[in-house]
Amino acid sequence: MFKMHGIYAPIPTPFDEKGDIAWGKLETNMEFFNTTSLTGIVAMGSNGEFVTMSHDEKKDFITKVCELAKGKKHVTTGCGCESTRETIALCEHSAKAGAAAALVLNPNYYKASMKDDVLRGFYQDVADASPIPIIIYNMPGNTGVNLSANLTASLAGHPNIIGIKETSGNIVQIAEVIHRTPDDFCVFSGSSSFLFATLALGGTGGTLALANIMPEECVRIQTLVDEKKYDEAAALQRKVIAINTAVTQGFGIAGLKAAMDMIGLYGGPPRKPMLPISEENKAKLKEIFDEARS
Amino acid sequence: MFKMHGIYAPIPTPFDEKGDIAWGKLETNMEFFNTTSLTGIVAMGSNGEFVTMSHDEKKDFITKVCELAKGKKHVTTGCGCESTRETIALCEHSAKAGAAAALVLNPNYYKASMKDDVLRGFYQDVADASPIPIIIYNMPGNTGVNLSANLTASLAGHPNIIGIKETSGNIVQIAEVIHRTPDDFCVFSGSSSFLFATLALGGTGGTLALANIMPEECVRIQTLVDEKKYDEAAALQRKVIAINTAVTQGFGIAGLKAAMDMIGLYGGPPRKPMLPISEENKAKLKEIFDEARS
Amino acid sequence: MFKMHGIYAPIPTPFDEKGDIAWGKLETNMEFFNTTSLTGIVAMGSNGEFVTMSHDEKKDFITKVCELAKGKKHVTTGCGCESTRETIALCEHSAKAGAAAALVLNPNYYKASMKDDVLRGFYQDVADASPIPIIIYNMPGNTGVNLSANLTASLAGHPNIIGIKETSGNIVQIAEVIHRTPDDFCVFSGSSSFLFATLALGGTGGTLALANIMPEECVRIQTLVDEKKYDEAAALQRKVIAINTAVTQGFGIAGLKAAMDMIGLYGGPPRKPMLPISEENKAKLKEIFDEARS
Amino acid sequence: MFKMHGIYAPIPTPFDEKGDIAWGKLETNMEFFNTTSLTGIVAMGSNGEFVTMSHDEKKDFITKVCELAKGKKHVTTGCGCESTRETIALCEHSAKAGAAAALVLNPNYYKASMKDDVLRGFYQDVADASPIPIIIYNMPGNTGVNLSANLTASLAGHPNIIGIKETSGNIVQIAEVIHRTPDDFCVFSGSSSFLFATLALGGTGGTLALANIMPEECVRIQTLVDEKKYDEAAALQRKVIAINTAVTQGFGIAGLKAAMDMIGLYGGPPRKPMLPISEENKAKLKEIFDEARS
């Protein structure tokens, strides 16, 4: 069965000025990603603005990314929706399109109802029905709901649930998940800012916004850990936080897209209501970015 | 232009055991609502499980509710989506269906990006494009984003933005909104638990989960305030909190649906992943509910 | 037994430039408060910077305020400390000094340990030992701990616990407390911003920072409610929020002290580490304040 | 100048059944700590229930611990109070008593006023006045205030501020602090649950509740990191989290004290209002603890 290891780029969805998907730009971007040292691509992750896309757009996008990555990069696909039925439909479509695994965000609008029994039922139903393996996606910053180590440990026994993308940044919880799940359960860092700590504790990779614009630096952190060069890895990690904080946290997806424009990829505007970053912030971003790559 | 005043029931969407919309049950429920003292109906509010429904299901549901309420109750329709374009599409559909106004929840997944300029742009774009008036919907408990009095005040000047449904429960913010918006801007309580305080401060009505199961009690609070019988209104308000806390907060939408089943309406199961309440909780609920109506 | 009703000013502790208590200034301020329509004074409330004062300073301050208010205003004294023993010691001292009741903040540093059994034990021990009645003080904004309606209701039966000062601003919780406690249990608003809503729901008064600088306006809200002039009360309430937000929330205790300086009372500097507000903010504050009183 | 490196035990203050300090028990406990591999002792840390102790008790306790540790263990002393003046007084007393450094928690009751300028002024004033070096103490779980990497970096240049105890658990913030402060600035983990990650990123030690009851295991994590045996260190870290979560987080200080009783040290009761753990929880704790040490 597919195991998730290495660095994945959760790619933004390219939109044109009208807000439609810019398919040609996706091809150009994917050509670049295919030449990098990245292990894989995530289509329809948080950076993919998936919540702004219709069901049909999501399906088309997944199909296209799988096609463009074929034989070169693994593809995992963001399939989490508020309803179990729509989530399963996207898993099924992803399987047909050739995706390696489905990254499944928990439902989260009804926060007070997202107790462990509901969340457990959700993941079990999806995992039972999905033709491809499931990776749990914990993203409390956006969802307002945290998936506890307890819940994750109880789901890790399901044969079709192979790992978790942990974006909480709660390093104790991440360590607990690693401790309490089987050895072949994959624990991924959801941010380049705590990639090193996750790997040092036994994690197997990362799905990192920063991997879209600095893929080799991200891969290098994991290579250094694999080679037991921890001091070098820690030093690179500490340096990477500044750029990651500025590009992907400070300015959000619009900032990531602006940075992609700066390095010759296509970023373009986010879909409305999100706004492109201002010219003033673009200048700030360029300064930070140039410094980080010097 | 339409003004929003009175008590509205944000009706649940009836689903059958398979999770499909139970159209026949909707008709039965609407027949009941049409006989009550309620001023209106909200289709596709939070209690309508709108986030679990596909775009086409939402459109069909809006059409049907408008048809069933015609001439008897005003209908407002939950149109807020993560993208501006889908939100506008639902406003346009609601207008064609005959809805009086669109209740527009703010986008919220990218919480850190939902700054005032983004939210203001969103509401302005939607209000510019919508053929029917817009009511802002502030629901921080579910969205994790609060719309400040400042933001609301700045939007209240738009000719197509006629009011706000305030579900924050922050009574100071509600008072500020009333103070800083024109006299004809409608401020609605989003819960029966702070309906009296909102009305006493100058609000014009409420959209209340409890109005689905105790419509006359909810209407009576407003009638008492209108008649300046404040002590009676306050006493009824204090009594209503207990039942509202138990039914709609403690057990969520599944609890509301169970309570509807108890009084001869159709509640039915929530859509998965949400789960019906347990038999044990049903018994508890019945006890609370019976006591509240005695 | 003493019942708490009316408007109380939680007076700041006057410090000189060195940070020592300015006893002479306290006398001048108290002369003013004694001439107002206020019912009482709180010594050692949050606005009194009590956490920065030594045990002996607190005792001296309580003694002095009781002496200066004698026969003119009721005095309640902030006695809450992290330990039960020190809290009781301050209650005993307050009784000797002639205070009418002790306002008891819950311990809060060990937030995770402040479960209901610990908090209940604390209030029971203090109430058992205190020679004067106890008023519970809920102030989650500063303590990070909320005292639930459930807890308050369970404590309201103690013969020496006569009321609560509710500064949570959670109007539903306030209504629940009123509903679930005996008729003679006093529920006080802890802020002028939700005084009207608290009174309309059955509260009996308020302990209001704003009462230090606009005592008559605060008293007038309650008078209007007592006279059943709700519309006027609501209008005054909505107006008062702006000034209260600016003076006491926006700029904190330093802002309140600056405003006192502006009206001829002694505000003076807060005790370090807190800092006086900047000249620029003083100008802003003056503008807001002048507008509010015009 | 003193540099902070290694593992410190933040010792509980032993109280007798009446809540008075049990001086004899302190001696017994200190005899044990003096025989361990620990580098030092923290007197009056959060685990020392310092907020429940009077100023004089704090001074006596500091004096006694310094005396008992003399020549065997470094002593740092918790000196943070709500006022700058009392904080400085405790630093001065600690210096006289022979403490190596003062651990200074930020004031925190007036959360909204604890902006960076106030906090910076506080630490600068204390550092200027203190005869011994200062260690910043960030403990947002108890204080509700986080000291940002930005603030810490700006304070790290002060010649008398030598390090920080970071109990936030925010591993990205910890990495940023390490990155943005001079090489000789000491960054300490405030919990055994993220000790390994802190050390791997360049931290220099830890002040760990668990070090009171499992000192050698805690020291071993650091030894393994120093010896570049990262896999072993990570494995031990993952194992330690379970026991730490149970003993020191799940049951708080009362749990830590109960565990001390189990291993032949004196734990005793916490000071009121905190309560000893129940017999039932003691049994649970024993089970967890026995398993951890097996």
Side-chain angles (χ1 to χ4, degrees):
Chain A
M1 179 174 279
F2 174 68
K3 288 297 151 204
M4 207 164 160
H5 182 277
I7 305 300
Y8 282 60
I11 61 169
T13 302
F15 295 113
D16 64 22
E17 291 300 324
K18 288 181 184 162
D20 294 320
I21 300 176
W23 295 107
K25 304 300 186 182
L26 175 63
E27 288 185 32
T28 323
N29 286 353
M30 282 296 295
E31 273 168 35
F32 167 75
F33 291 127
N34 283 339
T35 66
T36 63
S37 308
L38 296 170
T39 300
I41 297 297
V42 181
M44 300 282 90
S46 292
N47 287 291
E49 295 175 65
F50 73 104
V51 289
T52 70
M53 289 166 71
S54 73
H55 190 73
D56 286 343
E57 283 179 322
K58 286 180 185 175
K59 285 168 68 176
D60 291 348
F61 193 80
I62 287 168
T63 302
K64 192 73 182 173
V65 170
C66 286
E67 193 186 303
L68 293 168
K70 193 146 287 175
K72 290 156 204 145
K73 300 290 169 198
H74 289 298
V75 177
T76 63
T77 55
C79 295
C81 299
E82 289 289 334
S83 75
T84 304
R85 53 167 63 194
E86 193 181 352
T87 306
I88 291 173
L90 287 178
C91 289
E92 287 170 345
H93 177 81
S94 297
K96 273 184 217 145
L103 186 65
V104 181
L105 186 79
N106 57 291
N108 53 77
Y109 182 70
Y110 300 107
K111 299 189 193 335
S113 296
M114 292 302 122
K115 307 230 168 75
D116 275 8
D117 59 340
V118 168
L119 293 166
R120 190 175 293 114
F122 170 75
Y123 279 111
Q124 282 168 342
D125 286 347
V126 173
D128 285 349
S130 173
I132 48 174
I134 292 303
I135 299 148
I136 299 167
Y137 180 13
N138 189 32
M139 177 46 150
N142 283 356
T143 65
V145 175
N146 180 54
L147 308 178
S148 68
N150 223 26
L151 176 65
T152 304
S154 78
L155 288 167
H158 193 292
N160 208 26
I161 299 180
I162 62 166
I164 185 168
K165 174 182 174 183
E166 249 292 3
T167 312
S168 70
N170 179 337
I171 202 65
V172 180
Q173 179 170 287
I174 292 171
E176 275 192 279
V177 166
I178 294 169
H179 190 51
R180 296 176 56 188
T181 54
D183 281 352
D184 61 354
F185 190 79
C186 312
V187 178
F188 255 52
S189 172
S191 164
S192 57
S193 290
F194 45 86
L195 173 63
F196 167 71
T198 301
L199 295 173
L201 279 158
T204 60
T207 294
L208 318 167
L210 198 70
N212 283 292
I213 48 172
M214 295 176 69
E216 303 308 329
E217 285 83 349
C218 294
V219 170
R220 183 147 179 76
I221 289 178
Q222 185 158 21
T223 306
L224 289 168
V225 171
D226 287 347
E227 293 172 352
K228 311 265 174 216
K229 295 176 180 165
Y230 284 83
D231 292 348
E232 275 180 71
L236 182 52
Q237 171 66 88
R238 294 193 304 257
K239 197 180 156 191
V240 152
I241 287 173
I243 174 77
N244 188 46
T245 300
V247 179
T248 72
Q249 283 179 27
F251 300 117
I253 292 170
L256 176 60
K257 288 191 156 183
M260 288 177 76
D261 285 329
M262 286 174 200
I263 59 167
L265 295 173
Y266 181 80
R271 200 170 241 188
K272 277 193 162 188
M274 284 212 284
L275 301 172
I277 66 173
S278 65
E279 289 305 313
E280 195 188 333
N281 282 337
K282 258 184 213 165
K284 274 191 210 165
L285 180 59
K286 190 163 184 330
E287 202 177 328
I288 297 164
F289 197 30
D290 288 348
E291 197 190 311
R293 289 183 301 168
S294 68
Chain B
M1 181 174 280
F2 174 69
K3 288 297 149 204
M4 208 165 159
H5 182 277
I7 305 300
Y8 282 61
I11 62 170
T13 301
F15 296 113
D16 64 22
E17 292 301 323
K18 288 181 183 162
D20 294 320
I21 300 176
W23 295 108
K25 303 300 186 183
L26 176 62
E27 287 183 32
T28 324
N29 286 353
M30 282 296 295
E31 274 168 34
F32 166 75
F33 292 127
N34 283 339
T35 67
T36 63
S37 308
L38 296 171
T39 300
I41 297 296
V42 181
M44 301 281 88
S46 293
N47 287 292
E49 296 175 66
F50 74 103
V51 291
T52 71
M53 290 166 71
S54 73
H55 189 73
D56 286 343
E57 284 179 322
K58 286 180 187 176
K59 285 168 68 177
D60 291 348
F61 193 80
I62 287 169
T63 302
K64 192 73 181 171
V65 171
C66 286
E67 193 186 303
L68 293 169
K70 193 146 288 174
K72 290 156 205 145
K73 300 290 170 198
H74 289 298
V75 177
T76 63
T77 55
C79 294
C81 298
E82 289 289 334
S83 75
T84 304
R85 54 166 64 195
E86 193 181 351
T87 305
I88 291 173
L90 287 178
C91 290
E92 287 170 345
H93 177 81
S94 297
K96 272 183 217 145
L103 187 64
V104 181
L105 187 79
N106 57 290
N108 53 76
Y109 183 70
Y110 300 107
K111 300 190 193 333
S113 296
M114 292 301 120
K115 307 230 167 76
D116 275 8
D117 58 340
V118 168
L119 293 166
R120 190 175 293 116
F122 171 74
Y123 279 110
Q124 283 169 342
D125 286 348
V126 173
D128 285 349
S130 173
I132 48 175
I134 292 304
I135 299 149
I136 299 166
Y137 181 12
N138 189 33
M139 178 47 151
N142 283 358
T143 65
V145 174
N146 179 54
L147 308 178
S148 68
N150 224 25
L151 176 64
T152 304
S154 77
L155 288 167
H158 193 291
N160 209 27
I161 300 180
I162 62 166
I164 185 168
K165 174 181 174 184
E166 249 292 3
T167 312
S168 70
N170 178 337
I171 201 65
V172 180
Q173 179 170 287
I174 293 172
E176 274 192 280
V177 166
I178 294 169
H179 189 51
R180 295 176 57 188
T181 53
D183 281 353
D184 61 354
F185 190 79
C186 313
V187 178
F188 255 52
S189 172
S191 163
S192 57
S193 291
F194 45 86
L195 173 63
F196 167 70
T198 301
L199 295 174
L201 279 157
T204 59
T207 294
L208 318 168
L210 197 70
N212 284 292
I213 49 172
M214 295 176 70
E216 304 308 330
E217 285 84 349
C218 294
V219 170
R220 181 145 180 77
I221 290 178
Q222 185 159 19
T223 306
L224 289 168
V225 171
D226 286 347
E227 296 171 350
K228 312 265 174 215
K229 295 177 179 164
Y230 286 86
D231 291 347
E232 276 180 72
L236 182 53
Q237 170 66 87
R238 294 192 305 257
K239 195 179 158 192
V240 153
I241 288 173
I243 174 77
N244 188 46
T245 300
V247 180
T248 71
Q249 283 179 27
F251 299 117
I253 292 170
L256 176 60
K257 287 190 157 183
M260 289 176 76
D261 285 329
M262 287 175 199
I263 59 167
L265 296 173
Y266 181 80
R271 200 170 241 188
K272 275 195 163 188
M274 284 213 282
L275 300 172
I277 66 173
S278 65
E279 289 306 315
E280 194 188 333
N281 281 338
K282 259 182 215 166
K284 274 191 211 165
L285 181 58
K286 190 165 183 331
E287 202 177 328
I288 297 165
F289 198 28
D290 287 347
E291 197 191 312
R293 289 183 301 169
S294 67
Chain C
M1 181 172 281
F2 174 68
K3 289 297 152 203
M4 206 165 160
H5 181 277
I7 305 300
Y8 282 62
I11 62 170
T13 303
F15 295 113
D16 64 21
E17 292 300 324
K18 287 182 183 161
D20 294 320
I21 299 176
W23 295 108
K25 304 298 185 183
L26 175 63
E27 288 183 33
T28 324
N29 286 352
M30 282 296 295
E31 275 168 33
F32 167 75
F33 292 126
N34 283 339
T35 68
T36 64
S37 308
L38 296 171
T39 300
I41 296 296
V42 181
M44 300 282 89
S46 292
N47 287 292
E49 297 175 64
F50 73 103
V51 290
T52 70
M53 290 165 70
S54 73
H55 190 74
D56 286 343
E57 283 179 324
K58 287 180 187 176
K59 285 168 67 178
D60 291 348
F61 194 80
I62 287 168
T63 303
K64 192 73 182 172
V65 170
C66 287
E67 192 186 304
L68 293 169
K70 193 147 288 175
K72 291 157 204 144
K73 301 289 169 197
H74 289 297
V75 177
T76 63
T77 55
C79 295
C81 298
E82 289 289 334
S83 75
T84 304
R85 52 167 64 194
E86 193 181 353
T87 305
I88 291 172
L90 287 179
C91 291
E92 287 170 343
H93 177 81
S94 297
K96 272 183 219 146
L103 185 64
V104 181
L105 187 79
N106 56 291
N108 54 76
Y109 182 69
Y110 299 107
K111 299 187 194 335
S113 296
M114 291 303 122
K115 305 232 167 74
D116 274 9
D117 59 338
V118 168
L119 293 166
R120 190 174 294 115
F122 171 75
Y123 279 110
Q124 282 169 343
D125 286 348
V126 173
D128 285 351
S130 173
I132 48 173
I134 292 302
I135 299 149
I136 299 166
Y137 180 13
N138 189 32
M139 179 46 151
N142 282 359
T143 64
V145 175
N146 180 55
L147 308 178
S148 69
N150 224 25
L151 176 64
T152 304
S154 77
L155 288 166
H158 193 291
N160 209 24
I161 300 181
I162 61 165
I164 185 168
K165 174 182 176 184
E166 248 292 3
T167 312
S168 69
N170 180 339
I171 201 66
V172 180
Q173 179 170 288
I174 293 171
E176 275 191 278
V177 166
I178 294 170
H179 190 51
R180 296 176 57 188
T181 53
D183 280 354
D184 62 353
F185 190 79
C186 312
V187 178
F188 255 52
S189 172
S191 163
S192 58
S193 290
F194 44 88
L195 173 63
F196 167 70
T198 301
L199 296 173
L201 280 157
T204 59
T207 295
L208 318 168
L210 197 71
N212 284 292
I213 48 173
M214 294 175 70
E216 303 308 331
E217 285 84 348
C218 294
V219 170
R220 181 145 181 75
I221 290 178
Q222 185 159 19
T223 306
L224 288 168
V225 171
D226 287 348
E227 296 172 351
K228 311 268 176 212
K229 295 179 181 163
Y230 284 83
D231 292 347
E232 276 180 70
L236 181 54
Q237 170 66 88
R238 293 192 306 257
K239 197 179 158 193
V240 152
I241 288 173
I243 175 77
N244 189 46
T245 302
V247 179
T248 70
Q249 282 180 27
F251 300 116
I253 292 170
L256 176 60
K257 288 189 157 183
M260 290 177 75
D261 286 328
M262 286 174 200
I263 58 167
L265 296 172
Y266 181 79
R271 199 169 241 188
K272 277 192 162 192
M274 284 212 283
L275 302 172
I277 66 172
S278 65
E279 289 304 315
E280 194 188 334
N281 281 338
K282 257 183 214 166
K284 273 191 210 167
L285 180 58
K286 192 167 183 325
E287 202 178 328
I288 296 164
F289 198 28
D290 287 348
E291 198 190 311
R293 291 183 299 168
S294 68
Chain D
M1 181 174 280
F2 174 68
K3 289 297 150 201
M4 206 165 162
H5 182 278
I7 305 299
Y8 282 62
I11 62 170
T13 302
F15 296 113
D16 64 21
E17 292 300 323
K18 288 182 184 162
D20 294 320
I21 300 175
W23 295 108
K25 304 299 186 182
L26 175 63
E27 288 183 32
T28 324
N29 286 351
M30 282 296 295
E31 274 168 34
F32 166 76
F33 292 126
N34 283 339
T35 67
T36 63
S37 308
L38 296 171
T39 301
I41 297 295
V42 181
M44 300 282 90
S46 293
N47 287 292
E49 296 175 63
F50 73 103
V51 289
T52 71
M53 290 166 71
S54 73
H55 189 73
D56 286 343
E57 284 179 323
K58 286 179 186 176
K59 284 168 68 177
D60 290 348
F61 194 80
I62 287 168
T63 302
K64 192 72 181 171
V65 171
C66 287
E67 191 187 304
L68 293 168
K70 192 146 290 177
K72 291 157 205 145
K73 301 290 169 198
H74 290 297
V75 177
T76 63
T77 55
C79 295
C81 299
E82 289 289 334
S83 75
T84 304
R85 53 167 63 193
E86 192 180 353
T87 305
I88 290 172
L90 286 179
C91 290
E92 287 170 345
H93 176 81
S94 296
K96 272 183 218 144
L103 185 64
V104 180
L105 187 78
N106 55 292
N108 53 76
Y109 182 69
Y110 299 107
K111 298 186 195 336
S113 296
M114 291 302 122
K115 306 230 168 74
D116 275 8
D117 59 339
V118 168
L119 293 165
R120 189 174 294 114
F122 171 74
Y123 279 110
Q124 282 169 343
D125 286 347
V126 173
D128 285 350
S130 173
I132 49 174
I134 292 303
I135 298 149
I136 299 166
Y137 180 13
N138 189 33
M139 179 46 150
N142 282 359
T143 64
V145 175
N146 180 55
L147 308 179
S148 69
N150 223 25
L151 176 64
T152 305
S154 78
L155 288 166
H158 192 292
N160 209 26
I161 300 180
I162 62 166
I164 185 168
K165 174 182 175 185
E166 247 294 2
T167 312
S168 69
N170 180 337
I171 202 64
V172 179
Q173 180 169 288
I174 293 171
E176 275 191 279
V177 166
I178 294 169
H179 190 50
R180 295 176 56 187
T181 53
D183 280 353
D184 62 354
F185 190 79
C186 311
V187 178
F188 255 52
S189 173
S191 163
S192 58
S193 290
F194 45 88
L195 172 63
F196 167 70
T198 301
L199 295 174
L201 279 158
T204 60
T207 295
L208 317 168
L210 197 71
N212 284 292
I213 49 173
M214 295 176 70
E216 304 307 331
E217 286 82 350
C218 294
V219 171
R220 182 146 179 76
I221 290 178
Q222 185 159 20
T223 307
L224 288 168
V225 171
D226 287 348
E227 295 172 350
K228 312 264 175 216
K229 295 178 181 165
Y230 286 86
D231 292 346
E232 275 180 72
L236 182 52
Q237 170 66 89
R238 292 192 308 256
K239 197 179 157 192
V240 153
I241 288 173
I243 174 76
N244 189 46
T245 301
V247 180
T248 71
Q249 283 178 27
F251 300 116
I253 291 170
L256 175 60
K257 288 190 156 182
M260 290 177 74
D261 285 329
M262 287 175 199
I263 59 168
L265 296 173
Y266 181 79
R271 198 169 243 189
K272 275 194 164 189
M274 284 212 283
L275 302 171
I277 67 173
S278 65
E279 288 306 313
E280 195 189 333
N281 281 337
K282 257 183 214 165
K284 274 190 209 166
L285 180 59
K286 192 167 182 327
E287 201 177 328
I288 296 165
F289 198 28
D290 287 347
E291 198 190 311
R293 291 182 300 169
S294 70

